[in-house]
Amino acid sequence: MSVNYSEVLDATIQHLEALKSRGARNVSVSAETLRSLSQPAPSPRHAPAIVAQVSKPAVSPISKSASTQPASLPPAAQSQIANPKSAIEKSAAFAALRERVMPCVKCPNLASSRKNVVFGVGNLDAQLMFVGEAPGADEDAQGEPFVGRAGELLTKIIQAMGLQRSDVYIANILKCRPDTPGQSAGNRKPTPEEMATCVPYLHEQIDLIQPRVLVALGATAIEGLLGKTLGIMKLRGNWKTYRGTPLMPTFHPAYLLRNQAMTEKRKVWEDMLSVMEKLEMPISDKQRNFFTRG
Ligand code: URA
């Protein structure tokens, strides 16, 4: 399938800017890739060839240049160095995946009721990836995951960890809002068929991002990633593994909005502290003691 040249270029620029903002000053790019990028934008007829060039595997360019990087690079930029896929290849692969996902009509009921396909948002080199259930009304309207009330709470949790949304990657098991025919409001849980149909896209996103840690937000996220297993009440707080990547199951922020008990918020925060430890992030006394009684 062809990938729009300007989309690849946009994704590449976005990715390089993100790397720059995190302290990276050099990236290695193969001569072949540089040549292809310096060409004038091709006519649509030629776009696939350009993409094929851009995504041709180069010889670990980023890891090769590791010795030219400042030793004090932030962890996210360091993971880029360790990742043999170059920034440009990754951006191109992500753009190609996005191009396949956005027009998806595999679930005709969802395709006809949605306003937007909610692909995912964040840093392609994220060490930490959050996975939720499915877009709600706000996410469907804006085309971005976790932007409604639950999203605001998730953003606060991310910030309390000392991160920004742009440091992590956020996606859902389902990329379309589950339809609720005959209802003017409300959400419904994705069906097993919808999950089975959509989750391969998420697997591809995870494979490209290669986060060091995954956080599954709620029962549906766990089911989508690990299959049917114990309930969220039993699972949360206990490390699991998704295809070799440590996965922390925790409560969905919407649950915390429904159940305002401090005990439940505290459990989620404890899970996030475990995540921070796993990622070897600094943890201040204030962070450690958020929920300890004085
Ligand atoms: N709930 C989710 O699981 N995902 C979203 O994107 C928003 C709310």
Side-chain angles (χ1 to χ4, degrees):
M1 175 166 304
S2 82
V3 176
N4 182 292
Y5 181 87
S6 66
E7 216 176 287
V8 174
L9 212 50
D10 283 351
T12 304
I13 291 165
Q14 207 184 343
H15 183 76
L16 292 175
E17 278 174 352
L19 275 180
K20 189 175 163 196
S21 73
R22 293 198 308 282
R25 291 291 172 265
N26 307 293
V27 288
S28 284
V29 180
S30 69
E32 186 187 26
T33 302
L34 266 184
R35 261 197 312 279
S36 68
L37 282 172
S38 63
Q39 300 300 312
S43 67
R45 207 160 49 87
H46 294 128
I50 291 290
V51 167
Q53 269 186 303
V54 169
S55 50
K56 196 180 272 179
V59 198
S60 293
I62 297 287
S63 50
K64 266 196 160 176
S65 72
S67 58
T68 65
Q69 301 284 347
S72 59
L73 270 186
Q78 284 174 14
S79 86
Q80 177 61 34
I81 293 165
N83 186 344
K85 209 182 236 313
S86 83
I88 290 173
E89 288 166 344
K90 201 183 208 182
S91 298
F94 230 81
L97 174 60
R98 191 185 179 95
E99 176 144 309
R100 272 194 289 127
V101 171
M102 296 310 278
C104 179
V105 288
K106 287 183 184 169
C107 306
N109 53 321
L110 306 190
S112 61
S113 62
R114 75 187 177 212
K115 294 193 179 79
N116 280 296
V117 172
V118 181
F119 180 71
V121 71
N123 190 329
L124 302 194
D125 295 318
Q127 302 207 11
L128 177 57
M129 180 163 173
F130 289 89
V131 177
E133 177 174 310
D138 294 310
E139 290 77 20
D140 181 42
Q142 294 184 43
E144 182 171 328
F146 282 99
V147 290
R149 280 186 67 224
E152 280 168 20
L153 182 51
L154 176 63
T155 303
K156 281 188 189 153
I157 293 170
I158 291 168
Q159 288 168 347
M161 296 170 81
L163 299 169
Q164 302 298 321
R165 271 173 79 99
S166 55
D167 292 319
V168 303
Y169 197 87
I170 308 173
N172 284 308
I173 297 293
L174 234 61
K175 308 226 176 291
C176 293
R177 180 169 194 227
D179 59 340
T180 49
Q183 280 176 233
S184 58
N187 296 316
R188 73 161 168 84
K189 189 176 161 357
T191 65
E193 293 73 28
E194 288 165 348
M195 286 167 63
T197 304
C198 202
V199 87
Y201 293 141
L202 178 66
H203 291 170
E204 287 191 58
Q205 284 173 300
I206 297 172
D207 286 348
L208 285 171
I209 294 168
Q210 296 183 11
R212 278 176 62 200
V213 170
L214 284 157
V215 173
L217 299 165
T220 304
I222 294 163
E223 190 181 326
L225 290 171
L226 301 183
K228 274 253 180 249
T229 171
L230 297 172
I232 180 69
M233 292 296 167
K234 293 226 167 69
L235 281 182
R236 78 131 276 281
N238 296 298
W239 284 104
K240 297 280 159 205
T241 305
Y242 163 85
R243 289 156 74 176
T245 302
L247 179 147
M248 173 55 76
T250 196
F251 293 142
H252 193 288
Y255 168 76
L256 296 183
L257 292 174
R258 287 194 304 273
N259 183 341
Q260 295 277 342
M262 207 50 88
T263 51
E264 305 308 274
K265 288 187 186 149
R266 184 178 179 153
K267 286 176 192 161
V268 171
W269 183 242
E270 278 165 6
D271 299 343
M272 294 308 104
L273 288 176
S274 293
V275 165
M276 290 169 75
E277 277 167 8
K278 183 72 89 185
L279 289 170
E280 298 157 291
M281 289 170 63
I283 303 180
S284 68
D285 288 348
K286 187 175 167 199
Q287 285 171 318
R288 224 175 256 293
N289 298 324
F290 263 161
F291 286 94
T292 51
R293 293 196 187 91

